[in-house]
Amino acid sequence: MNDNMSATTERFYIEDAGKVFAKGVTNVTVKGWVHNKRSSGKIKFMVVRDGTGFMQGVLVKGECDDQSFEDFEKLTQETSLVVEGTLRQNPRNPLSFELGVKSIKIHQIADNYPISPKEHGIEFLMENRHLWVRSTKQHATLRIRAEIIKSIREFYDDRGFVLFDAPILTPSSCEGTSTLFKTPYFDTQAFLTQSGQLYGEVGAMAFGKVYVFGPTFRAEKSKTRKHLTEFWMVEPEVAWNDLDDNMKLGEEFVEYVVQSVVSRRAAELKTLERDLTKLAKVKAPFPRVSYDEALKILEKRGVGVPWGEDFGAPQETALGEEFEGMPVWMHRMPAQIKAFYFKHDAANPKLALGCDLIAPDGYGEIIGGGQREESYETLQKRVAEHGLNMTDYQWYLDMRKYGSVPHSGFGLGVERTVAWICGLDHVRETIPFPRMIHTLRP
Ligand code: 4AD
Ligand code: MG
């Protein structure tokens, strides 16, 4: 009987329900999993998910075949099945659809699915991450992550940036030696990349404007809600851009990503109970403060630090509060706390021409970048001052030897951006399989 019916029904994905219905197709097949079910006498309800969405199925005795009506009792959470029925508008909410079920065909009964709708501890959920990603909020978060990555690529591709892939196995550090993962490499040693920037600079000299996009690694011993040991970073790099150009690119970019998600993933943001009005206000230009100006704001707010120190979470949160929901640029930081490659400010050589973008509501730094030192002699001196091995960086120094130009770029951390846009309190939920100091499984 099922096979006969299949010939006249159309397989569809739940997210396409509106389009399919508008075409006048009503005999449909959904292939998916049981999310939950309930019965009230002669009528039974189930919610099916197929990966693209959730849909209620209604079973009424007489309208549904008898065997299916009986099989309903065997359904457990995450049982896989094929459902055939009539697609119709939900009488209680005409904007959504439901399925008048004619038959169900069980593919596999899921026995004791470990994640029930009741509350579970985070440790348990993290151990079951391979199953947890099916849950509503995790599903919405990862869908938004995919949309963010899509909009990142769109932004740069549409503006003529060339994708320039950097290696993951590298011979030297980019962001200091204290967070390097080492790995044996035949008869020598390699490091997992901390940032593709140095290679991005090579790309900028060859193509004018490029972006590097890939996973990066930091042996972060800190257990915070903002740190992963493996995270994704997108790193544009542009020849002839100075610090101001760099901030302008960064704010147009962040606005594009946020507004793309607001317009395309409103349903998922709603699932996460994210305040859309706050995100809708994120429009360039963003406020800019120098490190020195930021210090004054922090002192006023009671979280000042001595000049020359890096900001921690309390400082970043306070800066965010000052600018009410807007990301804020902090620029011109003390050179002593920045990496070797920064150009120093001609007006005050103690300052590096860096720019960090601090997200509102305590989400912290989502962009780090700046203008690069372009002088061969100065950069050579910096490599030495930072105790780095000159031969490892000779290729990088070559960029300053053969037609050096001013250039700038930055890196945006995908996971912190996802956490901010989704309103999550920890980056561990922003990537399918987070890697942290004590998390390597599954
Ligand atoms: O500020 P960072 O260290 O900058 C760089 O790596 C530059 N080389 C980028 C460039 O100019 N091309 O890192 C950039 C961003 C941070 O602002 C943050 O969003 C993210 O990468 N990030 C991390 N995200 C998660 N976990 C960590 N451990 C992170 N470290 C940095
Ligand atoms: Mg940084």
Side-chain angles (χ1 to χ4, degrees), residues 291-339:
Y291 174 91
D292 287 3
E293 287 161 344
L295 267 193
K296 289 198 190 103
I297 294 171
L298 297 179
E299 270 157 29
K300 187 185 76 188
R301 290 182 164 263
V303 285
V305 296
W307 193 94
E309 264 184 33
D310 216 346
F311 295 170
Q315 286 74 33
E316 290 182 347
T317 304
L319 259 190
E321 280 164 8
E322 180 82 11
F323 296 96
E324 290 171 6
M326 256 318 177
V328 50
W329 284 112
M330 183 177 61
H331 57 86
R332 295 178 169 80
M333 300 80 148
Q336 67 198 59
I337 50 169
K338 301 307 276 181

Side-chain angles (χ1 to χ4, degrees), residues 175 195 197 218 220 228 231 235 341 365-366 372 413:
E175 294 298 317
S195 157
Q197 177 197 323
R218 308 260 170 114
E220 298 273 9
L228 295 167
F231 62 98
E235 301 180 84
Y341 52 72
E365 184 201 310
I366 54 169
R372 323 306 189 187

Side-chain angles (χ1 to χ4, degrees), residues 175-193:
E175 294 298 317
T177 49
S178 64
T179 59
L180 276 177
F181 275 114
K182 297 185 185 74
T183 172
Y185 194 74
F186 304 107
D187 53 359
T188 174
Q189 178 177 260
F191 307 103
L192 300 186
T193 184

Side-chain angles (χ1 to χ4, degrees), residues 57-71:
V58 185
L59 288 77
V60 179
K61 206 169 172 68
E63 290 171 22
C64 171
D65 75 55
D66 292 346
Q67 185 61 50
S68 299
F69 205 71
E70 228 170 82
D71 284 349

Side-chain angles (χ1 to χ4, degrees), residues 407-432:
H407 61 287
S408 303
F410 60 81
L412 170 124
V414 169
E415 289 72 20
R416 287 189 196 174
T417 306
V418 176
W420 166 44
I421 293 178
C422 292
L424 305 173
D425 34 87
H426 202 297
V427 286
R428 67 187 159 212
E429 294 178 32
T430 64
I431 183 166

